Structures are given as C-alpha cells and as structure tokens.
Amino acid sequence: AQTVTQSQPEMSVQEAETVTLSCTYDTSESDYYLFWYKQPPSRQMILVIRQEAYKQQNATENRFSVNFQKAAKSFSLKISDSQLGDAAMYFCAYRSANDMRFGAGTRLTVKP
Amino acid sequence: DTEVTQTPKHLVMGMTNKKSLKCEQHMGHRAMYWYKQKAKKPPELMFVYSYEKLSINESVPSRFSPECPNSSLLNLHLHALQPEDSALYLCASSHPRGQTNTEAFFGQGTRLTVV
C-alpha cells in the first residue's frame, strides 16, 4: 500500500520569508500524481499545487513551487514571500488510479 | 462551476437514528470519494465510486452505507452510529486517472456529532 509521510508536524515562518515543507512517499507504481492541499480553519481543502510523476520539471504556481525527486520519492513544497493568509494545515497527497491518500499534515504558522 | 456541495453542514444524531449525508457536483467528474477526518488528523479514505460503481471500500463498518444514484450525486447513509464516529465527513470528486486535471475538489464537509 502507498504511504505518505510528513515528518514536520509544525512549522513557523516570518512573514515575507521562505519556508519548505517536506513530504516523502512510498510506492511501487510508476504512474501517479502528487498534490499539496491547504486546509485553513474554515476546513475547506484547497489545492495548492500538483505534480505529475512523468514530468521531470518541477511544478510552480506563483509563490508556491515543489522540489520533486522521483528516485528519492520526495516531494517538498516551497512557499516564497509567505503571507499571513498562508497559515493553515498543509497536506501532501498521493494519487494512483482513484485512490488518493494523505500525509499526516504540517501546521504552518506565519508570524507578522 | 468548480463546487462540491455537501449538506447538511452540521448534523447531530442519536445512536439509534438514521440519517444521510449528501454530496453534489456538476463538473462532470466520474470519481467521487468519502473521507472521514478527526480533529488534527488527515482525511482518511472511506469509499470511492468510479463511474457510479463502488471501487474502493476501506473496510468501513456496515453502519456506513454509501450510494451513488447518478454521476452527480453521492450519499452516505448512517445508521446506529457510535460516539467515536463523530468527525468531519468530506466529499470529493475528480476526473478518473488518465485525464487532465486529476486533482480532487472537496466540499466543505459535514460536521457530524453522535450523541
């Protein structure tokens, strides 16, 4: 079974600074997708960024970028120019077929 | 329309009650999911429907009964629940794998309390 591991239960960053959230996963499949989702206190799960495993280029969405290392099964999220609105729970997710699994999450605090 | 709509937003039910959670999407997604989320924990997969057929059941107790009447609707029927079943229940939908835009879209969830 696929597993997703987030080893940082909590992270803190100063406003306007950069922070990196870590995620590793375990799979025997070659075709899969990886995501970062954000869940603020409103509890709505919001997609931050997606990465297809067959793409070598790291995905980027405005201030959010990933470092995808397929051989190492690592998928970290970098948030640049952190804003107060980035404070939330961040979940790394793995999808193969119709089976989407989440890591334990990292709670990000942004300090003004 | 990129919304997944869940009703009700909050539900309090007794252990002998029967209730249903509803989920609706109009994005043409043919994969729909139920997740259970306890406080400060990640969502745990319960059920997956693909093309209106149940494709994954994560050994969920039979007091939870999913139903997918058509490609836009997903229900979760609840009966004889236990207090430990109190949680946030999230519905999600996505295109089946192999298509573009493979991310799942989530509803805002139903906060369920079993008394």
Side-chain angles (χ1 to χ4, degrees):
Chain A
Q2 295 81 13
T3 57
V4 182
T5 302
Q6 291 179 251
S7 58
Q8 305 156 315
E10 296 184 355
M11 291 285 284
S12 179
V13 63
Q14 206 71 33
E15 195 176 5
E17 297 294 311
T18 296
V19 65
T20 298
L21 308 184
S22 301
C23 174
T24 59
Y25 58 94
D26 186 26
T27 184
S28 58
E29 302 201 10
S30 59
D31 185 18
Y32 52 89
Y33 302 86
L34 298 164
F35 307 92
W36 280 97
Y37 279 88
K38 166 185 176 181
Q39 189 177 39
S42 68
R43 76 195 192 200
Q44 178 86 49
M45 294 282 279
I46 302 165
L47 178 71
V48 175
I49 199 165
R50 85 167 76 85
Q51 175 79 46
E52 292 87 346
Y54 64 85
K55 289 186 177 179
Q56 292 186 337
Q57 187 172 6
N58 289 326
T60 299
E61 286 286 342
N62 301 314
R63 298 183 294 108
F64 299 89
S65 61
V66 299
N67 183 1
F68 174 48
Q69 302 289 328
K70 190 172 184 178
K73 296 180 182 174
S74 170
F75 182 61
S76 61
L77 174 70
K78 185 171 83 170
I79 306 174
S80 303
D81 186 24
S82 296
Q83 300 176 359
L84 295 177
D86 294 334
M89 197 75 173
Y90 285 80
F91 292 102
C92 177
Y94 167 101
R95 179 183 177 184
S96 69
N98 288 322
D99 183 353
M100 180 176 278
R101 310 273 175 176
F102 292 85
T106 297
R107 181 167 300 282
L108 179 66
T109 302
V110 181
K111 297 179 180 177
Chain B
D1 182 3
T2 58
E3 272 196 0
V4 176
T5 303
Q6 288 188 245
T7 55
K9 288 188 168 41
H10 301 274
L11 178 63
V12 179
M13 60 184 291
M15 289 188 284
T16 59
N17 291 161
K18 287 185 180 180
K19 296 286 184 182
S20 296
L21 308 185
K22 297 185 185 303
C23 175
E24 188 170 5
Q25 57 87 16
H26 296 286
M27 293 177 277
H29 291 165
R30 304 303 295 276
M32 296 187 77
Y33 313 73
W34 280 115
Y35 287 88
K36 173 183 178 180
Q37 188 177 25
K38 302 283 265 186
K40 299 184 179 181
K41 296 291 187 181
E44 294 177 16
L45 186 64
M46 299 175 71
F47 302 104
V48 180
Y49 275 83
S50 179
Y51 295 95
E52 296 86 69
K53 291 191 185 332
L54 183 65
S55 63
I56 294 177
N57 177 343
E58 288 291 305
S59 302
V60 179
S62 60
R63 58 185 183 270
F64 296 90
S65 176
E67 179 194 22
C68 189
N70 60 55
S71 60
S72 299
L73 294 175
L74 185 67
N75 298 321
L76 186 63
H77 303 296
L78 313 173
H79 173 55
L81 295 192
Q82 303 297 309
E84 59 265 29
D85 296 323
S86 298
L88 180 68
Y89 287 84
L90 292 166
C91 173
S93 70
S94 72
H95 287 298
R97 194 180 78 164
Q99 299 189 19
T100 58
N101 300 325
T102 55
E103 68 267 25
F105 290 78
F106 284 81
Q108 285 202 304
T110 294
R111 176 76 64 190
L112 174 67
T113 303
V114 181
V115 297

